[in-house]
Amino acid sequence: MANNEESRGLKSLFDWFANRRKPGSTSPERQEREIADGLWHKCSQCGVLTYTKDLRANQMVCAECSYHNRVDSDERIRQLIDANTWRAIDEHLRPTDPLQFRDRKSYSDRLRETEEKLGLVDAVKTGLGQINGLSVALAVMDFRFMGGSMGSVVGEKITRLIEQATQRRYPVVIVCTSGGARMQEGMLSLMQMAKISAALERHRNARLLYIPVLTNPTTGGVTASFAMLGDIILAEPKATIGFAGRRVIEQTLREKLPDDFQTAEDLLKHGFVDDIVPRTQLKNTLAQLIALHQPIPTTPPMVLWETMTLSSRASE
């Protein structure tokens, strides 16, 4: 009897040690410490651990499930623009607090804290550069800065970029990611929708190309304005794209929406998006579209007449 009890106790002790050695028995805190050094990245979609260096080499796209991790504006510029060709413009523009807005803290304090934390002045970077040797005016929104919200500085920088592109006859590419207009600036932020749209109309009248690239998420006033005004509208796979949020729409309609509602794939099916392009193919796709839509150089009539005269004399 005593031997049986002793053997059962010994067996339970072995089981306890065996359970301690199982991979699944590692505490979440220990797992976090193991991957917190930045060497490894755990995919939020499939859970696979990937060497961070390999993930960045694949432009932050999971090699296992093709999940597109969110990237910041600096990384996006490195992915799209040829080396040593980027020239940032209007970096001096900074947001102010014209309405003296305050919720739990003042808007000016939020701006200062966000700038100190991220090193960003606002939610967009604009500049001129080249994509596979082709000149382009590029704006890249950054979701880290107050959810990529569109305030007065965002609207002003994008508008100035479009105006420079029109003057230089450059195509415009805007990488969109935003939660919408910035409520802390009230009507001033909503005015940016009309201002940017007007600049794009002048760009279109000059017969120049504009391509918005919709990434996850693109919502609110950005979707309601320049994100949907492109000549060719591209999107990243599985990006959330819409105006109002899913919950608001369901409460308004009082019915359940499909699982793929407001995804890039659903918008492509309904004609709101022209193509879905994986991030690893985006640069080459943009280069091909820009090359196909290069403006035809206008030849002065006198030069054209002299050319025709010389060619006719040569034939004689």
Side-chain angles (χ1 to χ4, degrees):
M1 185 71 177
N3 290 336
N4 291 336
E5 290 180 356
E6 185 178 352
S7 63
R8 283 199 299 270
L10 189 60
K11 183 177 180 182
S12 62
L13 188 61
F14 283 140
D15 290 340
W16 183 81
F17 275 111
N19 289 332
R20 289 279 294 177
R21 292 192 182 98
K22 287 182 179 178
S25 63
T26 306
S27 66
E29 293 182 1
R30 183 178 177 183
Q31 287 180 345
E32 290 296 328
R33 287 197 301 269
E34 289 175 353
I35 63 176
D37 58 0
L39 291 177
W40 297 90
H41 179 274
K42 184 177 180 180
C43 179
S44 57
Q45 180 84 4
C46 65
V48 169
L49 282 175
T50 307
Y51 191 36
T52 303
K53 187 176 181 180
D54 293 338
L55 185 65
R56 287 182 175 169
N58 201 39
Q59 301 190 9
M60 299 302 292
V61 178
C62 178
E64 187 72 21
C65 67
S66 297
Y67 175 73
H68 284 53
N69 294 278
R70 188 176 293 154
V71 296
D72 58 42
S73 53
D74 289 327
E75 180 67 24
R76 183 76 68 170
I77 292 169
R78 282 193 293 268
Q79 291 174 2
L80 294 179
I81 298 297
D82 298 345
N84 302 319
T85 65
W86 176 252
R87 182 165 64 86
I89 60 176
D90 295 319
E91 291 184 295
H92 64 284
L93 296 180
R94 293 176 176 272
T96 59
D97 187 8
L99 305 181
Q100 300 297 305
F101 189 93
R102 184 180 185 87
D103 43 59
R104 287 178 297 176
K105 63 176 66 174
S106 67
Y107 177 43
S108 56
D109 288 342
R110 289 188 184 277
L111 290 172
R112 186 183 64 256
E113 291 173 3
T114 306
E115 181 178 350
E116 291 174 354
K117 179 181 177 182
L118 302 176
L120 296 174
V121 176
D122 213 304
V124 71
K125 287 192 173 184
T126 57
L128 307 174
Q130 293 183 354
I131 298 179
N132 288 355
L134 300 169
S135 297
V136 66
L138 176 69
V140 180
M141 304 190 73
D142 199 315
F143 195 80
R144 297 176 302 162
F145 196 102
M146 300 183 70
S149 52
M150 178 178 59
S152 300
V153 168
V154 171
E156 183 66 19
K157 290 183 71 171
I158 293 178
T159 301
R160 291 189 185 189
L161 177 76
I162 297 168
E163 289 174 346
Q164 276 214 37
T166 305
Q167 183 179 2
R168 295 170 179 265
R169 299 193 64 79
Y170 283 2
V172 173
V173 175
I174 301 180
V175 181
C176 306
T177 176
S178 176
R182 190 172 299 173
M183 69 173 188
Q184 288 90 343
E185 297 185 23
M187 184 60 70
L188 297 174
S189 64
L190 297 178
M191 289 171 57
Q192 309 309 314
M193 299 167 61
K195 184 167 72 175
I196 297 172
S197 299
L200 284 173
E201 177 65 12
R202 293 190 292 269
H203 189 74
R204 185 187 69 84
N205 289 337
R207 306 187 74 173
L208 298 170
L209 180 66
Y210 165 50
I211 304 175
V213 180
L214 314 185
T215 67
N216 185 49
T218 301
T219 58
V222 170
T223 304
S225 56
F226 60 88
M228 288 295 178
L229 293 178
D231 300 301
I232 302 170
I233 302 176
L234 305 180
E236 285 192 338
K238 302 294 173 61
T240 298
I241 303 166
F243 179 64
R246 180 189 185 95
R247 184 177 60 183
V248 174
I249 298 174
E250 286 184 335
Q251 291 175 347
T252 303
L253 299 178
R254 296 183 180 179
E255 59 181 64
K256 185 71 175 175
L257 295 171
D259 292 337
D260 64 347
F261 180 70
Q262 289 187 333
T263 62
E265 288 72 16
D266 186 49
L267 267 66
L268 177 64
K269 184 169 62 178
H270 290 88
F272 285 90
V273 169
D274 293 306
D275 198 8
I276 297 174
V277 182
R279 189 179 297 161
T280 53
Q281 303 173 19
L282 182 58
K283 181 175 182 177
N284 289 334
T285 300
L286 288 172
Q288 290 174 359
L289 292 173
I290 292 171
L292 288 170
H293 292 82
Q294 286 291 293
I296 300 174
T298 55
T299 305
M302 184 58 66
V303 175
L304 181 62
W305 170 254
E306 291 176 356
T307 303
M308 293 174 62
T309 304
L310 288 173
S311 61
S312 62
R313 289 175 180 173
S315 61
E316 292 175 357

